[in-house]
Amino acid sequence: EPEVTQTPSHQVTQMGQEVILRCVPISNHLYFYWYRQILGQKVEFLVSFYNNEISEKSEIFDDQFSVERPDGSNFTLKIRSTKLEDSAMYFCASSALGDTQYFGPGTRLTVL
Amino acid sequence: SQQGEEDPQALSIQEGENATMNCSYKTSINNLQWYRQNSGRGLVHLILIRSNEREKHSGRLRVTLDTSKKSSSLLITASRAADTASYFCATDRGTSYGKLTFGQGTILTVHP
C-alpha cells in the first residue's frame, strides 16, 4: 500500500541553523501539507500546497519557513534559522482530492 | 473550548469491551476525520465522515456525526490491546484546501 515517507526520522540542530525536512508524498496525490506537534500538545496545521503554490498557511508559518516541491516527487519544509521553540514532531501529509489526508511517520526536530 | 475537542481525555478499559470517544467542534464543517497515533509515531487515518452523513462503519469502528450538536463519536467494538493509542478527531471546514484542525485527543488504554 502506498505511503508517505519522511526523512530524517530525527534531526538534531543548533539554534540558528537551517534545517530541511524531506517528504515523499503518495505518488498520484495533488495536495500536500505540513503539520507539527509539540510534545504533549495538539497537532497544528502549518501549510498546504497545491498546484505548485501555497494555498494556505498558519500564523506559525512565518518568514522563517518555506516549502518547495523541487522535482515532482519530493516535498520539503525549510526552517531558515531554527529557534528552541521549533522543537517538535513535523508531519507531512498528502491527499488525492483534498479530503482524506495520509500522514507520514514524522521527523522529530530537536533544537539545542 | 477549541475546534475539535475530544472527551474523555483518557479512557482505560479491558480487552473485549467497547470504547467510545467523543469530539465536539465549534464551526460548520465539510468533513470530520478520526486518526490514531501510537506513542511517538505517525498519524494513521481511520475514517472520514462528511457533513451530510450521519454514520459510517469500518470494521470494528463506528463513527457518528451530529451536525446540529456539532459533535461526533468514535466507537471501537470488542477492543484489543493493540488498540491502545491516542485517538484524534480533525475537522475540515471546507474553506481551504483541506486544512485540518485537530483536537487534543483521547488516550485509550486497553488492558489484556
Side-chain angles (χ1 to χ4, degrees):
Chain A
E1 186 175 327
E3 57 184 20
V4 177
T5 59
Q6 290 185 243
T7 53
S9 57
H10 192 186
Q11 173 92 48
V12 181
T13 189
Q14 295 289 327
M15 192 168 57
Q17 295 295 303
E18 174 183 289
V19 295
I20 297 176
L21 310 183
R22 303 180 192 280
C23 168
V24 179
I26 295 173
S27 65
N28 61 343
H29 284 189
L30 301 176
Y31 299 81
F32 313 109
Y33 311 86
W34 284 101
Y35 294 82
R36 78 173 186 190
Q37 184 180 33
I38 295 171
L39 189 64
Q41 297 188 21
K42 296 182 183 185
V43 176
E44 302 173 287
F45 169 82
L46 292 177
V47 66
S48 57
F49 192 86
Y50 171 76
N51 200 27
N52 284 320
E53 60 183 20
I54 290 173
S55 46
E56 185 171 357
K57 57 185 181 180
S58 72
E59 292 173 356
I60 303 167
F61 196 90
D62 61 21
D63 292 343
Q64 295 299 314
F65 290 86
S66 63
V67 290
E68 197 177 34
R69 188 154 162 80
D71 56 13
S73 62
N74 291 284
F75 181 51
T76 62
L77 174 70
K78 182 193 290 187
I79 308 174
R80 261 179 274 282
S81 178
T82 50
K83 308 184 191 83
L84 295 175
E85 54 265 37
D86 293 328
S87 293
M89 183 75 93
Y90 287 80
F91 294 107
C92 172
S94 70
S95 175
L97 301 173
D99 46 18
T100 301
Q101 293 183 28
Y102 296 91
F103 283 71
T107 292
R108 182 169 298 284
L109 176 66
T110 302
V111 182
L112 302 176
Chain B
S1 62
Q2 297 175 38
Q3 187 83 344
E5 290 296 319
E6 292 92 337
D7 83 270
Q9 291 187 332
L11 181 61
S12 182
I13 60 174
Q14 296 293 320
E15 233 177 1
E17 295 181 339
N18 296 340
T20 299
M21 289 160 270
N22 303 297
C23 169
S24 61
Y25 57 92
K26 290 283 198 182
T27 63
S28 62
I29 61 169
N30 185 44
N31 66 67
L32 185 146
Q33 305 182 37
W34 284 91
Y35 287 85
R36 184 185 75 226
Q37 184 180 39
N38 290 81
S39 181
R41 299 266 186 107
L43 295 153
V44 175
H45 185 265
L46 296 177
I47 201 162
L48 178 153
I49 187 165
R50 300 189 190 281
S51 59
N52 61 351
E53 298 175 309
R54 292 297 164 257
E55 189 171 311
K56 279 188 90 167
H57 296 255
S58 176
R60 294 184 296 113
L61 306 180
R62 173 179 168 250
V63 168
T64 61
L65 180 65
D66 187 333
T67 52
S68 67
K69 295 181 179 177
K70 291 186 170 59
S71 67
S72 173
S73 67
L74 170 67
L75 168 68
I76 303 174
T77 59
S79 62
R80 305 167 183 166
D83 295 327
T84 295
S86 293
Y87 291 81
F88 297 89
C89 69
T91 53
D92 175 0
R93 293 175 59 185
T95 56
S96 60
Y97 293 80
K99 168 189 170 181
L100 293 177
T101 302
F102 283 80
Q104 194 73 31
T106 293
I107 301 170
L108 173 66
T109 304
V110 182
H111 299 281

